[in-house]
Amino acid sequence: MKYYLTTPIYYVNAAPHIGHAYTTIAADTIRRLKRMQGYDVVLTTGTDEHGQKIERAAAAAGKSPKAFTDLISAEFKKQWSDLGLHIDRFQRTTNPSHAAVVRDLFERCLKNGHIYKGSYTGQYCVSDELYVNDAKPGDPCPDCGRPTETVTEENYYFRLSAFQDRLLELYETQPDFILPETRRNEVLAFVKGGLQDLSISRTTIKWGIPVPNEEKHVFYVWFDALSTYMSAVHDEKIHGESLWPADLHLIGKEIVRFHAIYWPAFLMAAGLPLPKRIFAHGWLLFENDKMSKSRGNIVRATPIQKVLGTDALRYFLMREVVFGQDGSFSYDALVGRYNSDLANGLGNLASRTLAMITQYREGVIPEGASNQQIAQVATVITETALEAYERFEFSKVLEAVWSLISAVDKYIVDNAPWKLAKNPDEQDRLNEVLYTAAEALRIATGLLWPILPESAAKIWAQLGCRKPLDDLRTAELNWGHLEGGQHLGIPSTIFPRADAKIAIPQMQELEVAEVARQLEILGKKPEPPAAKTSSDSAEPSLAKAITKDGFITIDDFGKVDLRVGLVKTAERVKGADKLLHLHVDLGEAEPRSIVAGLALAYKPEELVGRKVVVVANLAPRKLRGLESNGMIVAASREGDLPVLASFLEDVPVGARLK
RNA sequence: GCCGGUGUAGCUCAGUGGUUAGAGCGACGGUCUCAUAAUCCGUAGGUCGUAGGUUCGACUCCUACCACCGGCACCA
C-alpha cells in the first residue's frame, strides 16, 4: 500500500524559519509513522517560485529570477537535509516537468467548460498578487496594508461558483476531509456563504507558467502552486498503484481555503481524483506573540539544532504543541523540556539500563523471564501511543511513552538491581530486572523513532539491535522481541544535560548570525528589525513619484496638506470594530467629519480634546455611510495598533505642518 | 456585528451531574546509588473567568456578562 503525503511548497521570498521546519518535521514524523505501519511512503515538499513579488525581490538582489530562486530553493533543500528530514521528492514550480502538469490541468478544466475569459478593472495588490474588490484607487491592500495599484486585465476565470454544491457534498460525505474540525466548520461556513469565480491568470506578471495558446497570460499562484502535489509524482506508481491522489496534504491553517476549497474544485473540474485528507496545523507563536518579520521575532531551526540537536527541536514541537492548535515557542520552555524529559527521562533510563547490563552481565542482554506487570504496562501504552499516532496526536503519544519510562524507572528502584547483584541467590531475579528494563527501553525507542529518529537510532544501536529502524514494523513492538544473548553496542550519552544559562545565549547568538547569513543570500543588507517595515512596504506604488535616488521633491511633499486638528467628538461606528467617527476642528467654519480606523487603539473619550495631525486635502470618501473628509495621521506597523502623531508643545488649531 | 472556541494549582494542560478537583514541569523536604547532582518517595491547599439560574447536589447543565483566540462580514 502506498501513502503519499505533502507539505506545502514554500514561497521563496523568505528564507526557511522554524515555521517551515515545524510543518516539514511533522510531515517527516508522519512519513516515518506510516513507514512503521508498513506503507510505501512518499513525502513531497518543494518551493513556490513564481510571481511578481519574486521578480521584484530578485531584481532588488541584483539577480535574475531564475538565479534568485535557485539560490533560495537550495536553501530550503539544504535546511531539510541539515535537519535530517527524509524528503522523497522536492518539487519546484520552475521545474519544466511541473509546467506540463499545470497546462494539462488547465486544459482539462477548459475542455469541461469550467474556465472562461473575462476582464477585471480594479485595485490590485502587487505584494500579495491579490485583486481587491470594492477598493478605490490608492486604497491599501486588505491583507498586507500596502497600497494597491489600479489595473485593467483580461483574465481567465475558474467557475468556482458552480462547485458550491459538490464541495458541500464532499465535506458532508467525508467528514474527515478537513481536519481538525474547527477548520472544517470554517470552510463549511465559507462555502455556504457562496463562492465567486476565481481569476486564475495574470497578464501583469512575466515570471510564471504561460497559459497555453496565450501570449500574455501566466498562471495565478494557486493554480500553479497546488499542482505541484500532482506534478511531483506525475504518473508515478508504486507496485502498480498510482501515487496520486495524495493521502494527506499537511498544511498550516492560513492556507486552508486554498486546499480545502479551490484545490478540490480544480480537480473536480478536471475530472481528477481528490486528495483524501487535509490536515491544518496551528501556528507557532513566540512567547505568545505572532511571529512576524515586522516584530523581528522569527526563530530559525538551525541554531537550536546546533546547540541541542535536531531531536530536541522535534521533541519540543511535538510535545509542547497540541497538533492542530497554536502553540508557543520559547527558549526557556525548550531547554526545560530538553532537560527534564530527554536528559533526565529517556536519556537517563537508557544510561542506567545499559550501564547495569554492562557492569553486571558484561554487556550481554540476559535470557530468561521478564516482569509481567511491566510487560502489561508496555503493551497497553504501545496500544495507546499507536492510537494517538493514528490521529496525529503527537503530544499524547509522547505522554504515553513517558508514562512507560517512569514506570520502568520506578520498577528499577523497587527492585534495586544493585542489591541483587551482590547476592548470589538473586541472579535469576537480576536477569529478569535487566531484561525487563532493556525490553521496555527497546519498545519505547521504537515508538519514539518517528519523532526522535536520530536519538532512537543511537539507543537502538546501543541496545545492540541490528535491524535498521526504518525497517521496524509495529508488530515488532510487542513485548518479548528483544533477543537474550544480544551484545550491547558502544554506550554514549544521548542527551547531555544543558545549562540554560549557556545554551540560550548560544542559540541567540547563532540566531543573529543565521539571520545575517539569510539576509545576505536574499540580497538584503542586514538592518535592525524595526527599520525594516518602511523600506519593505513603501516602494511599490510610490514608484512613480519617487526619483531614481529614492527621493521625492519638495513639490511632491507640498501636495500633502497636513493640519493640526482638535477632536471635538468621537463615537464608535456601528457594525465596525475598528472605526471611530470623529468631528475635528481644523480652524474652519465647521468641524470636519472624519472616519478613522482607531477604535482598537483608542477609546472615543480618550480622543476628545486631543490635538491630532490631519491630512486635510485627501479626497472625501464615504465609509459605512459616513462622510470622511480627511485622514488622521498615526504611526502603524504591520500587526500593531496605530499610535497617533501628536505634539509636545501646544499648537494652534489649523496650523499647517511643513 | 454574526458564528465558533478557550478561560481549572507559578507554568502547560486533563477532567466528570454527586464523597476531601487531578497529571506533568517548576519549587521545597527526604531516599537510594545502577544512572546524565539523574531516579524514587513525600509536600503544593487552586473563588475550577464573573454574576445569576436549574437541581437534593455543579467545576461539570442553562442564561447574561467579561477577557483572549479564530473564521466571516465590515474596514483599514
Side-chain angles (χ1 to χ4, degrees), chain A residues 120 122-150 537-538 540-542 578-579 595-597 618-619 621 623 631-632 634 636 638:
Chain A
Y120 171 90
Q123 295 309 110
Y124 177 70
C125 174
V126 174
S127 179
D128 293 340
E129 292 173 22
L130 190 73
Y131 288 113
V132 187
N133 298 320
D134 312 324
K136 289 184 180 160
D139 279 356
C141 167
D143 213 45
C144 67
R146 291 166 189 162
T148 53
E149 298 174 20
T150 306
S537 61
S541 84
L542 287 178
K578 297 183 187 171
L579 291 187
V595 179
L618 199 66
R621 90 172 264 207
L623 297 171
M631 184 173 89
I632 311 290
S636 59
E638 229 176 290

Side-chain angles (χ1 to χ4, degrees), chain A residues 64-273:
Chain A
S64 72
K66 176 79 174 107
F68 179 80
T69 56
D70 279 353
L71 206 60
I72 311 296
S73 182
E75 269 297 298
F76 276 91
K77 209 167 181 176
K78 180 170 182 300
Q79 175 79 96
W80 309 143
S81 111
D82 285 351
L83 289 174
L85 307 184
H86 192 133
I87 306 297
D88 298 286
R89 309 279 188 285
F90 189 97
Q91 180 64 306
R92 304 176 55 181
T93 53
T94 50
N95 187 333
S97 73
H98 169 66
V101 171
V102 176
R103 281 191 218 103
D104 181 57
L105 180 69
F106 173 79
E107 273 163 356
R108 283 166 180 268
C109 293
L110 190 67
K111 197 179 76 188
N112 294 338
H114 298 302
I115 285 177
Y116 63 94
K117 223 172 189 179
S119 108
Y120 171 90
T121 300
Q123 295 309 110
Y124 177 70
C125 174
V126 174
S127 179
D128 293 340
E129 292 173 22
L130 190 73
Y131 288 113
V132 187
N133 298 320
D134 312 324
K136 289 184 180 160
D139 279 356
C141 167
D143 213 45
C144 67
R146 291 166 189 162
T148 53
E149 298 174 20
T150 306
V151 296
T152 296
E153 245 192 282
E154 186 181 60
N155 285 143
Y156 284 97
Y157 281 86
F158 177 79
R159 219 176 281 283
L160 185 64
S161 57
F163 287 87
Q164 182 170 1
D165 292 343
R166 287 181 65 184
L167 285 168
L168 288 173
E169 193 194 329
L170 167 69
Y171 309 142
E172 201 59 43
T173 54
Q174 274 176 256
D176 54 359
F177 180 70
I178 311 159
L179 291 176
E181 206 179 336
T182 57
R183 302 296 152 219
R184 175 174 183 267
N185 292 339
E186 286 169 13
V187 169
L188 273 173
F190 186 89
V191 175
K192 281 178 182 163
L195 296 171
Q196 292 187 351
D197 288 351
L198 192 70
S199 149
I200 55 160
S201 73
R202 295 286 184 275
T203 54
T204 45
I205 309 171
K206 289 191 191 101
W207 181 239
I209 295 174
V211 174
N213 308 314
E214 281 290 346
E215 296 279 309
K216 285 187 279 181
H217 292 256
V218 300
F219 285 107
Y220 167 61
V221 52
W222 284 106
F223 203 85
D224 175 355
L226 289 162
S227 308
T228 52
Y229 299 141
M230 281 197 311
S231 72
V233 296
H234 188 50
D235 281 346
E236 262 189 77
K237 289 184 178 170
I238 287 188
H239 300 312
E241 191 182 6
S242 167
L243 277 176
W244 187 260
D247 294 271
L248 173 69
H249 289 318
L250 191 61
I251 61 170
K253 66 179 184 182
E254 70 281 1
I255 49 178
V256 166
R257 189 190 302 174
F258 307 103
H259 286 78
I261 301 172
Y262 299 174
W263 183 225
F266 293 164
L267 292 166
M268 284 172 182
L272 293 167

Side-chain angles (χ1 to χ4, degrees), chain A residues 305-334:
Chain A
Q305 181 200 359
K306 283 183 178 158
V307 176
L308 296 178
T310 304
D311 282 0
L313 175 62
R314 294 176 70 115
Y315 180 79
F316 180 84
L317 294 176
M318 292 300 142
R319 171 64 239 241
E320 188 82 3
V321 182
V322 175
F323 201 58
Q325 293 178 23
D326 290 355
S328 141
F329 173 89
S330 77
Y331 288 109
D332 280 340
L334 171 70

Side-chain angles (χ1 to χ4, degrees), chain A residues 333-645:
Chain A
L334 171 70
V335 175
R337 280 288 179 196
Y338 176 85
N339 279 329
S340 64
D341 294 359
L342 293 176
N344 298 352
L346 177 60
N348 185 58
L349 176 62
S351 173
R352 68 195 310 202
T353 303
L354 297 166
M356 286 189 287
I357 294 174
T358 302
Q359 285 174 44
Y360 307 141
R361 290 295 177 262
E362 293 167 332
V364 179
I365 291 174
E367 316 258 1
S370 57
N371 180 281
Q372 284 316 296
Q373 273 178 338
I374 294 294
Q376 184 63 34
V377 169
T379 303
V380 170
I381 283 172
T382 301
E383 230 168 85
T384 307
L386 290 175
E387 279 167 16
Y389 260 135
E390 196 56 40
R391 293 191 295 269
F392 301 151
E393 291 172 345
F394 303 117
S395 55
K396 284 198 177 154
V397 170
L398 292 169
E399 272 180 56
V401 175
W402 255 258
S403 69
L404 174 59
I405 289 171
S406 30
V408 178
D409 268 333
K410 183 171 165 51
Y411 167 75
I412 291 174
V413 169
D414 286 349
N415 289 277
W418 45 94
K419 284 182 186 158
L420 302 178
K422 290 175 188 152
N423 186 344
D425 297 335
E426 295 281 27
Q427 295 307 302
D428 284 350
R429 264 192 71 203
L430 177 58
N431 284 344
E432 179 178 323
V433 173
L434 295 180
Y435 180 89
T436 300
E439 172 60 339
L441 178 63
R442 183 193 70 90
I443 291 170
T445 303
L447 282 172
L448 289 173
W449 175 70
I451 295 172
L452 305 175
E454 214 172 71
S455 347
K458 283 188 198 165
I459 299 174
W460 197 250
Q462 291 183 26
L463 274 168
C465 298
R466 297 287 178 83
K467 185 174 190 175
L469 274 163
D470 198 51
D471 295 334
L472 183 74
R473 296 295 170 262
T474 50
E476 295 161 64
L477 295 173
N478 291 341
W479 189 267
H481 270 77
L482 181 64
E483 302 272 342
Q486 177 170 302
H487 282 73
L488 299 185
I490 300 155
S492 71
T493 303
I494 313 288
F495 302 108
R497 274 184 74 81
D499 183 343
K501 289 197 196 81
I502 298 168
I504 293 176
Q506 244 176 359
M507 287 187 277
Q508 287 168 333
E509 272 172 42
L510 287 168
E511 176 68 25
V512 171
E514 177 69 2
V515 170
R517 191 188 69 82
Q518 291 187 341
L519 281 174
E520 202 178 322
I521 289 170
L522 285 162
K524 291 182 189 165
K525 280 180 205 146
E527 43 186 334
K532 247 192 277 177
T533 9
S534 59
S535 68
D536 247 20
S537 61
E539 79 194 70
S541 84
L542 287 178
K544 288 167 209 153
I546 293 174
T547 66
K548 268 181 277 180
D549 322 324
F551 295 112
I552 61 170
T553 66
I554 185 82
D555 295 335
D556 290 327
F557 177 70
K559 290 175 189 164
V560 183
D561 186 12
L562 295 173
R563 300 275 178 177
V564 176
L566 176 67
V567 179
K568 307 294 275 186
T569 68
E571 55 189 27
R572 292 182 187 282
V573 175
K574 247 193 250 168
D577 298 342
K578 297 183 187 171
L579 291 187
L580 292 180
H581 184 203
L582 313 176
H583 283 92
V584 183
D585 182 2
L586 292 183
E588 300 166 326
E590 298 253 329
R592 293 220 194 170
S593 164
I594 296 178
V595 179
L598 296 171
L600 294 181
Y602 296 93
K603 292 177 185 161
E605 56 271 25
E606 289 173 340
L607 291 178
V608 175
R610 186 159 172 171
K611 287 193 174 144
V612 294
V613 178
V614 176
V615 182
N617 61 342
L618 199 66
R621 90 172 264 207
K622 272 196 170 178
L623 297 171
R624 292 290 294 173
L626 298 165
E627 189 77 15
S628 185
N629 297 307
M631 184 173 89
I632 311 290
V633 176
S636 59
R637 291 201 321 188
E638 229 176 290
D640 285 340
L641 296 175
V643 176
L644 283 176

